[in-house]
Amino acid sequence: QVQLVESGGGLVQAGGSLRLSCAASGNIFRISAMGWYRQAPGKQRELVAVIISGESTNYGDSVKGRFTISRDSAKNTVYLQMNSLKPEDTAVYYCNVLETRSYWGKGTLVTVSS
């Protein structure tokens, strides 16, 4: 089993920045991908960013150029640096780790005020 602990969410004004962290612990064999998804009220969960094998990255269209995903493999931790935040970025952000199976964090709320 793999446990995920997310941190860094909160309230920020439009144009501001936040940094999310997600640390994986437990019986980790090999993590092939780490990423962030988000779900706004009344909407489906969507991809924000994913980093695969610690190298290649993929971003959702709405965050390209504003968000940056990175990973510290030694700490099994993934980060999401969010800049130029917009009110439409308001959502619960979930960490996802692909190991022998997919694991999800409990989510952290990001609220961007206008």
Side-chain angles (χ1 to χ4, degrees), residues 73-93:
S73 297
K75 296 181 179 179
N76 288 322
T77 299
V78 63
Y79 305 95
L80 184 69
Q81 178 65 44
M82 305 185 293
N83 298 328
S84 302
L85 282 161
K86 305 175 181 179
E88 50 264 45
D89 294 318
T90 295
V92 178
Y93 285 68

Side-chain angles (χ1 to χ4, degrees), residues 8-19:
L11 174 64
V12 64
Q13 288 189 330
S17 299
L18 281 175
R19 188 190 194 210

Side-chain angles (χ1 to χ4, degrees), residues 28-108:
I28 298 172
F29 174 60
R30 185 181 68 182
I31 294 175
S32 56
M34 301 183 82
W36 292 93
Y37 292 73
R38 68 186 182 187
Q39 188 166 17
K43 295 187 177 181
Q44 290 187 330
R45 191 173 296 189
E46 63 175 0
L47 170 71
V48 176
V50 62
I51 185 164
I52 301 169
S53 299
E55 295 181 356
S56 64
T57 58
N58 189 29
Y59 293 91
D61 288 341
S62 62
V63 307
K64 286 180 181 177
R66 300 188 296 123
F67 291 9
T68 302
I69 190 170
S70 61
R71 174 181 170 180
D72 185 333
S73 297
K75 296 181 179 179
N76 288 322
T77 299
V78 63
Y79 305 95
L80 184 69
Q81 178 65 44
M82 305 185 293
N83 298 328
S84 302
L85 282 161
K86 305 175 181 179
E88 50 264 45
D89 294 318
T90 295
V92 178
Y93 285 68
Y94 296 91
C95 176
N96 176 264
V97 168
L98 183 61
E99 201 250 351
T100 54
R101 67 171 182 88
S102 180
Y103 293 89
W104 291 93
K106 294 181 179 180
T108 184

